[in-house]
Amino acid sequence: MLLSVSLTLLEGLAVTMELFALTLIFALPLGLVISFGSMCPFTPLRAVVKTFVWIIRGTPLMIQIMIVFYGPGLMFDLPLLPRFTAAVVTFVINYACYFSEIYRGGIQGV
């Protein structure tokens, strides 16, 4: 009994570590690109990027996961994404927005 529970927890840990690694691999460079967009001298692009970051940072992560998982199917009649893929996409977008603010603050010295 205890061994089966421990093995199940270890499998969950492996999935969590994979999600964490993929999130970092994709969110760090994307955050840098987003931070450059938020510092762009072209005002319309800067406004769009800052609005996007503001919306992503202002909504709960669970709502974002539901939008990414169910949204394409409801809006465009596409098949649902696999759960893990939807989680990776959502985490990457969410954390890229947070990383972009960190990068922007470091680059601008604010």
Side-chain angles (χ1 to χ4, degrees):
M1 171 72 179
L2 182 61
L3 182 62
S4 67
V5 171
S6 298
L7 291 176
T8 304
L9 287 174
L10 284 176
E11 289 172 9
L13 177 64
V15 171
T16 301
M17 296 318 262
E18 184 180 359
L19 179 63
F20 172 73
L22 289 172
T23 299
L24 280 182
I25 288 169
F26 293 115
L28 286 171
L30 182 60
L32 189 60
V33 171
I34 293 172
S35 70
F36 288 147
S38 68
M39 296 182 298
C40 179
F42 185 60
T43 306
L45 177 63
R46 186 174 63 236
V48 167
V49 171
K50 284 189 173 192
T51 302
F52 175 74
V53 169
W54 179 73
I55 290 170
I56 295 297
R57 290 184 64 209
T59 56
L61 184 60
M62 192 64 179
I63 299 296
Q64 294 173 16
I65 290 174
M66 291 174 63
I67 289 170
V68 169
F69 186 68
Y70 292 114
L74 292 173
M75 292 188 298
F76 306 114
D77 201 27
L78 296 172
L80 292 176
L81 289 173
R83 292 179 298 178
F84 188 78
T85 304
V88 169
V89 168
T90 307
F91 274 66
V92 166
I93 292 170
N94 186 281
Y95 284 99
C97 289
Y98 279 99
F99 290 147
S100 75
E101 291 296 303
I102 294 168
Y103 288 141
R104 186 190 56 78
I107 291 170
Q108 289 182 340
V110 174

